[in-house]
Amino acid sequence: MLNVGKIEEGFVLDHIQAGKSLTLYYNLGLDKKDCTVAMIMNAKSGKMGKKDILKVECDIDDLNMDILAVVDHNITVNVVKDGEIVEKKELVLPKEIHNVFKCKNPRCITSIEQGLPHIFVLADEKKEVYRCKYCEEKYSQRVKTVVQ
Ligand code: CTP
Ligand code: ZN
């Protein structure tokens, strides 16, 4: 396997579905932060066949876990401090998610009016369905856009 060095402080996001790490990079806003990031794609995995891994060297408070759970709650979040894993976090689906995903309904008030918060609400926990708080449009993984 391609070898990328260990990180000193930050997160190792493991067991990401193969091919999803680039989307995750933008969803986490890592393109706008001053973190050092290593993206490993198509790594061989016993459990998953193939997987992606994101290594993010940053301040630990600098990452929004809610986003991770919505994108894929099977991701393992390893928290690293002083070069060691200090925690493996469980991801829980947040009840509401603010200003991460945009509603794609062109008639939604958030598409028409500027400056409103973009809010999605967990409508069905079992099916992991989120809906826009304003128009109930379903959040879809495929067409997601990041609020800038
Ligand atoms: N890692 C890292 N920097 C560190 C410590 C760990 O980049 N300072 C990375 C390892 O390279 C590995 C991941 O964090 O990709 C998880 O490490 P570890 O828990 O030791 O591996 P596994 O036991 O394989 O994890 P799991 O049981 O979750 O599959
Ligand atoms: Zn809407």
Side-chain angles (χ1 to χ4, degrees), residues 96-115:
E96 281 196 0
I97 184 149
H98 290 224
N99 291 325
V100 178
F101 306 112
K102 268 183 189 165
C103 179
K104 66 176 170 55
N105 173 7
R107 287 179 299 278
C108 179
I109 184 125
T110 59
S111 308
I112 298 158
E113 275 186 32
Q114 301 290 307

Side-chain angles (χ1 to χ4, degrees), residues 1-34:
M1 184 177 137
L2 172 66
N3 224 340
V4 175
K6 296 197 165 212
I7 62 168
E8 263 307 297
E9 167 137 359
F11 301 90
V12 178
L13 308 179
D14 199 359
H15 307 117
I16 303 167
Q17 208 183 309
K20 284 273 178 80
S21 56
L22 188 60
T23 309
L24 204 54
Y25 174 82
Y26 288 108
N27 283 157
L28 290 170
L30 289 168
D31 55 322
K32 304 211 170 52
K33 288 189 179 137
D34 193 28

